[in-house]
Amino acid sequence: MTNHAPHATQPDIIMRLKRANGHPLSVIEMIEAERPYIDIAQQLHAVEKAITQAKHTLFQDHIDHYLNAAMAGAGSDGATATAEFKAITKYPMRKAHALCPC
C-alpha cells in the first residue's frame, strides 16, 4: 500500500489505543488475584470497546479520505484511492450497517 500523510483522526486513534494498551495486563492480574468475574468481564469489555472504536475511526477516516480523493478527480490517485478502499474493506467492521442505509 501507499504511504500517507497523517489524517485528522490519527491523534484520537492513538489515544484510544494507548487507553486500551494497559488493560490486558490488568485483566491478567485480576484473574490471577481471583477477582470477581463481573469485574474481569467489565475490563475485557473496556478493552474490546476501545479497540473497536479505534478500528471504526480508522476505517471511517480512511474511507472518507480516499473516496474524497477519488471523487475530486484525482487522476492517477483515483486508481490508488479505489485500490486502498478495496483493500481496507477486507477487514469487516462489526457495525458495518452504520455505513450502509440498506
Side-chain angles (χ1 to χ4, degrees), residues 62-89:
H62 190 75
I63 289 167
D64 288 349
H65 176 80
Y66 282 101
L67 287 181
N68 286 340
M71 296 302 287
S76 64
D77 283 343
T80 301
T82 302
E84 292 279 346
F85 178 74
K86 288 178 181 178
I88 200 162
T89 58

mmCIF file with all atom_site columns, all heavy atoms in Angstrom, residues 62-89:
data_model
loop_
_atom_site.group_PDB
_atom_site.id
_atom_site.type_symbol
_atom_site.label_atom_id
_atom_site.label_alt_id
_atom_site.label_comp_id
_atom_site.label_asym_id
_atom_site.label_entity_id
_atom_site.label_seq_id
_atom_site.pdbx_PDB_ins_code
_atom_site.Cartn_x
_atom_site.Cartn_y
_atom_site.Cartn_z
_atom_site.occupancy
_atom_site.B_iso_or_equiv
_atom_site.pdbx_formal_charge
_atom_site.auth_seq_id
_atom_site.auth_comp_id
_atom_site.auth_asym_id
_atom_site.auth_atom_id
_atom_site.pdbx_PDB_model_num
ATOM 1   N N   . HIS A 1 62 ? -10.230 6.619  6.815   1.00 0.00 ? 62 HIS A N   1
ATOM 2   C CA  . HIS A 1 62 ? -9.564  6.110  5.618   1.00 0.00 ? 62 HIS A CA  1
ATOM 3   C C   . HIS A 1 62 ? -10.528 6.133  4.431   1.00 0.00 ? 62 HIS A C   1
ATOM 4   O O   . HIS A 1 62 ? -10.189 6.602  3.347   1.00 0.00 ? 62 HIS A O   1
ATOM 5   C CB  . HIS A 1 62 ? -9.060  4.690  5.885   1.00 0.00 ? 62 HIS A CB  1
ATOM 6   C CG  . HIS A 1 62 ? -8.168  4.152  4.826   1.00 0.00 ? 62 HIS A CG  1
ATOM 7   N ND1 . HIS A 1 62 ? -6.863  4.549  4.681   1.00 0.00 ? 62 HIS A ND1 1
ATOM 8   C CD2 . HIS A 1 62 ? -8.391  3.231  3.861   1.00 0.00 ? 62 HIS A CD2 1
ATOM 9   C CE1 . HIS A 1 62 ? -6.312  3.897  3.670   1.00 0.00 ? 62 HIS A CE1 1
ATOM 10  N NE2 . HIS A 1 62 ? -7.224  3.093  3.150   1.00 0.00 ? 62 HIS A NE2 1
ATOM 11  N N   . ILE A 1 63 ? -11.728 5.645  4.649   1.00 0.00 ? 63 ILE A N   1
ATOM 12  C CA  . ILE A 1 63 ? -12.727 5.620  3.585   1.00 0.00 ? 63 ILE A CA  1
ATOM 13  C C   . ILE A 1 63 ? -13.053 7.041  3.135   1.00 0.00 ? 63 ILE A C   1
ATOM 14  O O   . ILE A 1 63 ? -13.063 7.334  1.937   1.00 0.00 ? 63 ILE A O   1
ATOM 15  C CB  . ILE A 1 63 ? -13.995 4.867  4.054   1.00 0.00 ? 63 ILE A CB  1
ATOM 16  C CG1 . ILE A 1 63 ? -13.685 3.368  4.161   1.00 0.00 ? 63 ILE A CG1 1
ATOM 17  C CG2 . ILE A 1 63 ? -15.164 5.117  3.101   1.00 0.00 ? 63 ILE A CG2 1
ATOM 18  C CD1 . ILE A 1 63 ? -14.747 2.573  4.908   1.00 0.00 ? 63 ILE A CD1 1
ATOM 19  N N   . ASP A 1 64 ? -13.299 7.924  4.077   1.00 0.00 ? 64 ASP A N   1
ATOM 20  C CA  . ASP A 1 64 ? -13.611 9.313  3.730   1.00 0.00 ? 64 ASP A CA  1
ATOM 21  C C   . ASP A 1 64 ? -12.484 9.949  2.926   1.00 0.00 ? 64 ASP A C   1
ATOM 22  O O   . ASP A 1 64 ? -12.720 10.600 1.912   1.00 0.00 ? 64 ASP A O   1
ATOM 23  C CB  . ASP A 1 64 ? -13.864 10.147 4.989   1.00 0.00 ? 64 ASP A CB  1
ATOM 24  C CG  . ASP A 1 64 ? -15.169 9.826  5.672   1.00 0.00 ? 64 ASP A CG  1
ATOM 25  O OD1 . ASP A 1 64 ? -16.007 9.108  5.075   1.00 0.00 ? 64 ASP A OD1 1
ATOM 26  O OD2 . ASP A 1 64 ? -15.348 10.273 6.826   1.00 0.00 ? 64 ASP A OD2 1
ATOM 27  N N   . HIS A 1 65 ? -11.262 9.767  3.392   1.00 0.00 ? 65 HIS A N   1
ATOM 28  C CA  . HIS A 1 65 ? -10.099 10.376 2.734   1.00 0.00 ? 65 HIS A CA  1
ATOM 29  C C   . HIS A 1 65 ? -9.958  9.912  1.285   1.00 0.00 ? 65 HIS A C   1
ATOM 30  O O   . HIS A 1 65 ? -9.828  10.722 0.371   1.00 0.00 ? 65 HIS A O   1
ATOM 31  C CB  . HIS A 1 65 ? -8.830  10.043 3.531   1.00 0.00 ? 65 HIS A CB  1
ATOM 32  C CG  . HIS A 1 65 ? -7.578  10.544 2.892   1.00 0.00 ? 65 HIS A CG  1
ATOM 33  N ND1 . HIS A 1 65 ? -7.175  11.854 2.995   1.00 0.00 ? 65 HIS A ND1 1
ATOM 34  C CD2 . HIS A 1 65 ? -6.653  9.910  2.128   1.00 0.00 ? 65 HIS A CD2 1
ATOM 35  C CE1 . HIS A 1 65 ? -6.049  12.006 2.323   1.00 0.00 ? 65 HIS A CE1 1
ATOM 36  N NE2 . HIS A 1 65 ? -5.707  10.848 1.799   1.00 0.00 ? 65 HIS A NE2 1
ATOM 37  N N   . TYR A 1 66 ? -9.980  8.607  1.079   1.00 0.00 ? 66 TYR A N   1
ATOM 38  C CA  . TYR A 1 66 ? -9.744  8.090  -0.265  1.00 0.00 ? 66 TYR A CA  1
ATOM 39  C C   . TYR A 1 66 ? -10.936 8.262  -1.191  1.00 0.00 ? 66 TYR A C   1
ATOM 40  O O   . TYR A 1 66 ? -10.766 8.486  -2.387  1.00 0.00 ? 66 TYR A O   1
ATOM 41  C CB  . TYR A 1 66 ? -9.257  6.639  -0.211  1.00 0.00 ? 66 TYR A CB  1
ATOM 42  C CG  . TYR A 1 66 ? -7.803  6.601  0.166   1.00 0.00 ? 66 TYR A CG  1
ATOM 43  C CD1 . TYR A 1 66 ? -7.402  6.296  1.454   1.00 0.00 ? 66 TYR A CD1 1
ATOM 44  C CD2 . TYR A 1 66 ? -6.831  6.938  -0.755  1.00 0.00 ? 66 TYR A CD2 1
ATOM 45  C CE1 . TYR A 1 66 ? -6.074  6.315  1.812   1.00 0.00 ? 66 TYR A CE1 1
ATOM 46  C CE2 . TYR A 1 66 ? -5.497  6.961  -0.409  1.00 0.00 ? 66 TYR A CE2 1
ATOM 47  C CZ  . TYR A 1 66 ? -5.119  6.646  0.873   1.00 0.00 ? 66 TYR A CZ  1
ATOM 48  O OH  . TYR A 1 66 ? -3.799  6.673  1.223   1.00 0.00 ? 66 TYR A OH  1
ATOM 49  N N   . LEU A 1 67 ? -12.144 8.205  -0.665  1.00 0.00 ? 67 LEU A N   1
ATOM 50  C CA  . LEU A 1 67 ? -13.292 8.460  -1.529  1.00 0.00 ? 67 LEU A CA  1
ATOM 51  C C   . LEU A 1 67 ? -13.357 9.929  -1.926  1.00 0.00 ? 67 LEU A C   1
ATOM 52  O O   . LEU A 1 67 ? -13.692 10.255 -3.063  1.00 0.00 ? 67 LEU A O   1
ATOM 53  C CB  . LEU A 1 67 ? -14.587 8.017  -0.859  1.00 0.00 ? 67 LEU A CB  1
ATOM 54  C CG  . LEU A 1 67 ? -14.790 6.510  -0.782  1.00 0.00 ? 67 LEU A CG  1
ATOM 55  C CD1 . LEU A 1 67 ? -16.120 6.181  -0.115  1.00 0.00 ? 67 LEU A CD1 1
ATOM 56  C CD2 . LEU A 1 67 ? -14.713 5.861  -2.153  1.00 0.00 ? 67 LEU A CD2 1
ATOM 57  N N   . ASN A 1 68 ? -13.010 10.814 -1.005  1.00 0.00 ? 68 ASN A N   1
ATOM 58  C CA  . ASN A 1 68 ? -12.958 12.237 -1.354  1.00 0.00 ? 68 ASN A CA  1
ATOM 59  C C   . ASN A 1 68 ? -11.916 12.487 -2.441  1.00 0.00 ? 68 ASN A C   1
ATOM 60  O O   . ASN A 1 68 ? -12.152 13.257 -3.365  1.00 0.00 ? 68 ASN A O   1
ATOM 61  C CB  . ASN A 1 68 ? -12.660 13.093 -0.124  1.00 0.00 ? 68 ASN A CB  1
ATOM 62  C CG  . ASN A 1 68 ? -13.839 13.200 0.801   1.00 0.00 ? 68 ASN A CG  1
ATOM 63  O OD1 . ASN A 1 68 ? -14.974 12.977 0.405   1.00 0.00 ? 68 ASN A OD1 1
ATOM 64  N ND2 . ASN A 1 68 ? -13.579 13.544 2.054   1.00 0.00 ? 68 ASN A ND2 1
ATOM 65  N N   . ALA A 1 69 ? -10.759 11.833 -2.335  1.00 0.00 ? 69 ALA A N   1
ATOM 66  C CA  . ALA A 1 69 ? -9.722  11.990 -3.356  1.00 0.00 ? 69 ALA A CA  1
ATOM 67  C C   . ALA A 1 69 ? -10.209 11.465 -4.698  1.00 0.00 ? 69 ALA A C   1
ATOM 68  O O   . ALA A 1 69 ? -9.996  12.095 -5.740  1.00 0.00 ? 69 ALA A O   1
ATOM 69  C CB  . ALA A 1 69 ? -8.446  11.258 -2.932  1.00 0.00 ? 69 ALA A CB  1
ATOM 70  N N   . ALA A 1 70 ? -10.886 10.323 -4.687  1.00 0.00 ? 70 ALA A N   1
ATOM 71  C CA  . ALA A 1 70 ? -11.381 9.749  -5.934  1.00 0.00 ? 70 ALA A CA  1
ATOM 72  C C   . ALA A 1 70 ? -12.464 10.628 -6.547  1.00 0.00 ? 70 ALA A C   1
ATOM 73  O O   . ALA A 1 70 ? -12.492 10.843 -7.763  1.00 0.00 ? 70 ALA A O   1
ATOM 74  C CB  . ALA A 1 70 ? -11.925 8.344  -5.691  1.00 0.00 ? 70 ALA A CB  1
ATOM 75  N N   . MET A 1 71 ? -13.353 11.148 -5.707  1.00 0.00 ? 71 MET A N   1
ATOM 76  C CA  . MET A 1 71 ? -14.442 11.979 -6.201  1.00 0.00 ? 71 MET A CA  1
ATOM 77  C C   . MET A 1 71 ? -13.944 13.328 -6.706  1.00 0.00 ? 71 MET A C   1
ATOM 78  O O   . MET A 1 71 ? -14.593 13.967 -7.517  1.00 0.00 ? 71 MET A O   1
ATOM 79  C CB  . MET A 1 71 ? -15.489 12.186 -5.100  1.00 0.00 ? 71 MET A CB  1
ATOM 80  C CG  . MET A 1 71 ? -16.174 10.903 -4.664  1.00 0.00 ? 71 MET A CG  1
ATOM 81  S SD  . MET A 1 71 ? -17.009 10.044 -6.001  1.00 0.00 ? 71 MET A SD  1
ATOM 82  C CE  . MET A 1 71 ? -18.396 11.131 -6.238  1.00 0.00 ? 71 MET A CE  1
ATOM 83  N N   . ALA A 1 72 ? -12.807 13.777 -6.224  1.00 0.00 ? 72 ALA A N   1
ATOM 84  C CA  . ALA A 1 72 ? -12.259 15.066 -6.637  1.00 0.00 ? 72 ALA A CA  1
ATOM 85  C C   . ALA A 1 72 ? -11.540 14.969 -7.976  1.00 0.00 ? 72 ALA A C   1
ATOM 86  O O   . ALA A 1 72 ? -10.902 15.925 -8.398  1.00 0.00 ? 72 ALA A O   1
ATOM 87  C CB  . ALA A 1 72 ? -11.321 15.592 -5.554  1.00 0.00 ? 72 ALA A CB  1
ATOM 88  N N   . GLY A 1 73 ? -11.629 13.827 -8.626  1.00 0.00 ? 73 GLY A N   1
ATOM 89  C CA  . GLY A 1 73 ? -10.969 13.672 -9.925  1.00 0.00 ? 73 GLY A CA  1
ATOM 90  C C   . GLY A 1 73 ? -9.467  13.709 -9.789  1.00 0.00 ? 73 GLY A C   1
ATOM 91  O O   . GLY A 1 73 ? -8.791  14.444 -10.491 1.00 0.00 ? 73 GLY A O   1
ATOM 92  N N   . ALA A 1 74 ? -8.964  12.919 -8.887  1.00 0.00 ? 74 ALA A N   1
ATOM 93  C CA  . ALA A 1 74 ? -7.538  12.949 -8.570  1.00 0.00 ? 74 ALA A CA  1
ATOM 94  C C   . ALA A 1 74 ? -6.672  12.262 -9.610  1.00 0.00 ? 74 ALA A C   1
ATOM 95  O O   . ALA A 1 74 ? -5.512  11.987 -9.360  1.00 0.00 ? 74 ALA A O   1
ATOM 96  C CB  . ALA A 1 74 ? -7.317  12.314 -7.205  1.00 0.00 ? 74 ALA A CB  1
ATOM 97  N N   . GLY A 1 75 ? -7.201  11.975 -10.768 1.00 0.00 ? 75 GLY A N   1
ATOM 98  C CA  . GLY A 1 75 ? -6.400  11.360 -11.827 1.00 0.00 ? 75 GLY A CA  1
ATOM 99  C C   . GLY A 1 75 ? -5.881  10.005 -11.424 1.00 0.00 ? 75 GLY A C   1
ATOM 100 O O   . GLY A 1 75 ? -6.648  9.130  -11.039 1.00 0.00 ? 75 GLY A O   1
ATOM 101 N N   . SER A 1 76 ? -4.569  9.826  -11.482 1.00 0.00 ? 76 SER A N   1
ATOM 102 C CA  . SER A 1 76 ? -3.979  8.532  -11.140 1.00 0.00 ? 76 SER A CA  1
ATOM 103 C C   . SER A 1 76 ? -4.184  8.199  -9.667  1.00 0.00 ? 76 SER A C   1
ATOM 104 O O   . SER A 1 76 ? -4.211  7.043  -9.284  1.00 0.00 ? 76 SER A O   1
ATOM 105 C CB  . SER A 1 76 ? -2.490  8.504  -11.481 1.00 0.00 ? 76 SER A CB  1
ATOM 106 O OG  . SER A 1 76 ? -1.794  9.445  -10.692 1.00 0.00 ? 76 SER A OG  1
ATOM 107 N N   . ASP A 1 77 ? -4.362  9.231  -8.838  1.00 0.00 ? 77 ASP A N   1
ATOM 108 C CA  . ASP A 1 77 ? -4.644  8.977  -7.427  1.00 0.00 ? 77 ASP A CA  1
ATOM 109 C C   . ASP A 1 77 ? -6.022  8.354  -7.248  1.00 0.00 ? 77 ASP A C   1
ATOM 110 O O   . ASP A 1 77 ? -6.294  7.715  -6.246  1.00 0.00 ? 77 ASP A O   1
ATOM 111 C CB  . ASP A 1 77 ? -4.556  10.264 -6.607  1.00 0.00 ? 77 ASP A CB  1
ATOM 112 C CG  . ASP A 1 77 ? -3.119  10.676 -6.342  1.00 0.00 ? 77 ASP A CG  1
ATOM 113 O OD1 . ASP A 1 77 ? -2.222  9.818  -6.509  1.00 0.00 ? 77 ASP A OD1 1
ATOM 114 O OD2 . ASP A 1 77 ? -2.899  11.837 -5.967  1.00 0.00 ? 77 ASP A OD2 1
ATOM 115 N N   . GLY A 1 78 ? -6.908  8.552  -8.221  1.00 0.00 ? 78 GLY A N   1
ATOM 116 C CA  . GLY A 1 78 ? -8.224  7.926  -8.163  1.00 0.00 ? 78 GLY A CA  1
ATOM 117 C C   . GLY A 1 78 ? -8.111  6.417  -8.171  1.00 0.00 ? 78 GLY A C   1
ATOM 118 O O   . GLY A 1 78 ? -8.815  5.727  -7.432  1.00 0.00 ? 78 GLY A O   1
ATOM 119 N N   . ALA A 1 79 ? -7.210  5.877  -8.993  1.00 0.00 ? 79 ALA A N   1
ATOM 120 C CA  . ALA A 1 79 ? -6.990  4.433  -9.027  1.00 0.00 ? 79 ALA A CA  1
ATOM 121 C C   . ALA A 1 79 ? -6.396  3.957  -7.709  1.00 0.00 ? 79 ALA A C   1
ATOM 122 O O   . ALA A 1 79 ? -6.772  2.907  -7.185  1.00 0.00 ? 79 ALA A O   1
ATOM 123 C CB  . ALA A 1 79 ? -6.067  4.065  -10.188 1.00 0.00 ? 79 ALA A CB  1
ATOM 124 N N   . THR A 1 80 ? -5.483  4.741  -7.153  1.00 0.00 ? 80 THR A N   1
ATOM 125 C CA  . THR A 1 80 ? -4.891  4.402  -5.858  1.00 0.00 ? 80 THR A CA  1
ATOM 126 C C   . THR A 1 80 ? -5.951  4.428  -4.774  1.00 0.00 ? 80 THR A C   1
ATOM 127 O O   . THR A 1 80 ? -6.018  3.530  -3.933  1.00 0.00 ? 80 THR A O   1
ATOM 128 C CB  . THR A 1 80 ? -3.760  5.394  -5.503  1.00 0.00 ? 80 THR A CB  1
ATOM 129 O OG1 . THR A 1 80 ? -2.768  5.330  -6.522  1.00 0.00 ? 80 THR A OG1 1
ATOM 130 C CG2 . THR A 1 80 ? -3.139  5.068  -4.158  1.00 0.00 ? 80 THR A CG2 1
ATOM 131 N N   . ALA A 1 81 ? -6.808  5.447  -4.811  1.00 0.00 ? 81 ALA A N   1
ATOM 132 C CA  . ALA A 1 81 ? -7.879  5.550  -3.819  1.00 0.00 ? 81 ALA A CA  1
ATOM 133 C C   . ALA A 1 81 ? -8.800  4.348  -3.895  1.00 0.00 ? 81 ALA A C   1
ATOM 134 O O   . ALA A 1 81 ? -9.187  3.782  -2.875  1.00 0.00 ? 81 ALA A O   1
ATOM 135 C CB  . ALA A 1 81 ? -8.664  6.845  -4.029  1.00 0.00 ? 81 ALA A CB  1
ATOM 136 N N   . THR A 1 82 ? -9.151  3.942  -5.091  1.00 0.00 ? 82 THR A N   1
ATOM 137 C CA  . THR A 1 82 ? -10.032 2.790  -5.268  1.00 0.00 ? 82 THR A CA  1
ATOM 138 C C   . THR A 1 82 ? -9.364  1.520  -4.741  1.00 0.00 ? 82 THR A C   1
ATOM 139 O O   . THR A 1 82 ? -9.988  0.722  -4.048  1.00 0.00 ? 82 THR A O   1
ATOM 140 C CB  . THR A 1 82 ? -10.413 2.619  -6.749  1.00 0.00 ? 82 THR A CB  1
ATOM 141 O OG1 . THR A 1 82 ? -11.036 3.827  -7.186  1.00 0.00 ? 82 THR A OG1 1
ATOM 142 C CG2 . THR A 1 82 ? -11.360 1.463  -6.953  1.00 0.00 ? 82 THR A CG2 1
ATOM 143 N N   . ALA A 1 83 ? -8.092  1.340  -5.041  1.00 0.00 ? 83 ALA A N   1
ATOM 144 C CA  . ALA A 1 83 ? -7.355  0.164  -4.561  1.00 0.00 ? 83 ALA A CA  1
ATOM 145 C C   . ALA A 1 83 ? -7.276  0.156  -3.043  1.00 0.00 ? 83 ALA A C   1
ATOM 146 O O   . ALA A 1 83 ? -7.447  -0.888 -2.402  1.00 0.00 ? 83 ALA A O   1
ATOM 147 C CB  . ALA A 1 83 ? -5.960  0.126  -5.166  1.00 0.00 ? 83 ALA A CB  1
ATOM 148 N N   . GLU A 1 84 ? -7.017  1.322  -2.435  1.00 0.00 ? 84 GLU A N   1
ATOM 149 C CA  . GLU A 1 84 ? -6.954  1.427  -0.980  1.00 0.00 ? 84 GLU A CA  1
ATOM 150 C C   . GLU A 1 84 ? -8.308  1.101  -0.359  1.00 0.00 ? 84 GLU A C   1
ATOM 151 O O   . GLU A 1 84 ? -8.387  0.408  0.644   1.00 0.00 ? 84 GLU A O   1
ATOM 152 C CB  . GLU A 1 84 ? -6.516  2.832  -0.555  1.00 0.00 ? 84 GLU A CB  1
ATOM 153 C CG  . GLU A 1 84 ? -5.086  3.159  -0.897  1.00 0.00 ? 84 GLU A CG  1
ATOM 154 C CD  . GLU A 1 84 ? -4.102  2.594  0.106   1.00 0.00 ? 84 GLU A CD  1
ATOM 155 O OE1 . GLU A 1 84 ? -4.510  2.173  1.203   1.00 0.00 ? 84 GLU A OE1 1
ATOM 156 O OE2 . GLU A 1 84 ? -2.910  2.567  -0.227  1.00 0.00 ? 84 GLU A OE2 1
ATOM 157 N N   . PHE A 1 85 ? -9.376  1.596  -0.975  1.00 0.00 ? 85 PHE A N   1
ATOM 158 C CA  . PHE A 1 85 ? -10.715 1.327  -0.466  1.00 0.00 ? 85 PHE A CA  1
ATOM 159 C C   . PHE A 1 85 ? -11.011 -0.168 -0.519  1.00 0.00 ? 85 PHE A C   1
ATOM 160 O O   . PHE A 1 85 ? -11.497 -0.753 0.440   1.00 0.00 ? 85 PHE A O   1
ATOM 161 C CB  . PHE A 1 85 ? -11.757 2.114  -1.261  1.00 0.00 ? 85 PHE A CB  1
ATOM 162 C CG  . PHE A 1 85 ? -13.159 1.843  -0.819  1.00 0.00 ? 85 PHE A CG  1
ATOM 163 C CD1 . PHE A 1 85 ? -13.637 2.369  0.361   1.00 0.00 ? 85 PHE A CD1 1
ATOM 164 C CD2 . PHE A 1 85 ? -13.997 1.054  -1.576  1.00 0.00 ? 85 PHE A CD2 1
ATOM 165 C CE1 . PHE A 1 85 ? -14.932 2.118  0.783   1.00 0.00 ? 85 PHE A CE1 1
ATOM 166 C CE2 . PHE A 1 85 ? -15.290 0.796  -1.173  1.00 0.00 ? 85 PHE A CE2 1
ATOM 167 C CZ  . PHE A 1 85 ? -15.756 1.326  0.012   1.00 0.00 ? 85 PHE A CZ  1
ATOM 168 N N   . LYS A 1 86 ? -10.702 -0.795 -1.644  1.00 0.00 ? 86 LYS A N   1
ATOM 169 C CA  . LYS A 1 86 ? -10.934 -2.238 -1.778  1.00 0.00 ? 86 LYS A CA  1
ATOM 170 C C   . LYS A 1 86 ? -10.115 -3.016 -0.759  1.00 0.00 ? 86 LYS A C   1
ATOM 171 O O   . LYS A 1 86 ? -10.580 -3.999 -0.197  1.00 0.00 ? 86 LYS A O   1
ATOM 172 C CB  . LYS A 1 86 ? -10.600 -2.696 -3.193  1.00 0.00 ? 86 LYS A CB  1
ATOM 173 C CG  . LYS A 1 86 ? -11.605 -2.232 -4.218  1.00 0.00 ? 86 LYS A CG  1
ATOM 174 C CD  . LYS A 1 86 ? -11.194 -2.684 -5.611  1.00 0.00 ? 86 LYS A CD  1
ATOM 175 C CE  . LYS A 1 86 ? -12.176 -2.217 -6.662  1.00 0.00 ? 86 LYS A CE  1
ATOM 176 N NZ  . LYS A 1 86 ? -11.759 -2.612 -8.013  1.00 0.00 ? 86 LYS A NZ  1
ATOM 177 N N   . ALA A 1 87 ? -8.897  -2.583 -0.500  1.00 0.00 ? 87 ALA A N   1
ATOM 178 C CA  . ALA A 1 87 ? -8.031  -3.290 0.439   1.00 0.00 ? 87 ALA A CA  1
ATOM 179 C C   . ALA A 1 87 ? -8.575  -3.215 1.863   1.00 0.00 ? 87 ALA A C   1
ATOM 180 O O   . ALA A 1 87 ? -8.586  -4.213 2.580   1.00 0.00 ? 87 ALA A O   1
ATOM 181 C CB  . ALA A 1 87 ? -6.616  -2.721 0.382   1.00 0.00 ? 87 ALA A CB  1
ATOM 182 N N   . ILE A 1 88 ? -9.038  -2.048 2.276   1.00 0.00 ? 88 ILE A N   1
ATOM 183 C CA  . ILE A 1 88 ? -9.475  -1.921 3.672   1.00 0.00 ? 88 ILE A CA  1
ATOM 184 C C   . ILE A 1 88 ? -10.808 -2.608 3.913   1.00 0.00 ? 88 ILE A C   1
ATOM 185 O O   . ILE A 1 88 ? -11.109 -3.013 5.029   1.00 0.00 ? 88 ILE A O   1
ATOM 186 C CB  . ILE A 1 88 ? -9.520  -0.444 4.127   1.00 0.00 ? 88 ILE A CB  1
ATOM 187 C CG1 . ILE A 1 88 ? -9.472  -0.390 5.661   1.00 0.00 ? 88 ILE A CG1 1
ATOM 188 C CG2 . ILE A 1 88 ? -10.720 0.284  3.563   1.00 0.00 ? 88 ILE A CG2 1
ATOM 189 C CD1 . ILE A 1 88 ? -9.082  0.921  6.226   1.00 0.00 ? 88 ILE A CD1 1
ATOM 190 N N   . THR A 1 89 ? -11.603 -2.797 2.876   1.00 0.00 ? 89 THR A N   1
ATOM 191 C CA  . THR A 1 89 ? -12.886 -3.466 3.077   1.00 0.00 ? 89 THR A CA  1
ATOM 192 C C   . THR A 1 89 ? -12.730 -4.961 3.327   1.00 0.00 ? 89 THR A C   1
ATOM 193 O O   . THR A 1 89 ? -13.708 -5.634 3.637   1.00 0.00 ? 89 THR A O   1
ATOM 194 C CB  . THR A 1 89 ? -13.835 -3.236 1.882   1.00 0.00 ? 89 THR A CB  1
ATOM 195 O OG1 . THR A 1 89 ? -13.212 -3.725 0.690   1.00 0.00 ? 89 THR A OG1 1
ATOM 196 C CG2 . THR A 1 89 ? -14.188 -1.769 1.734   1.00 0.00 ? 89 THR A CG2 1
#
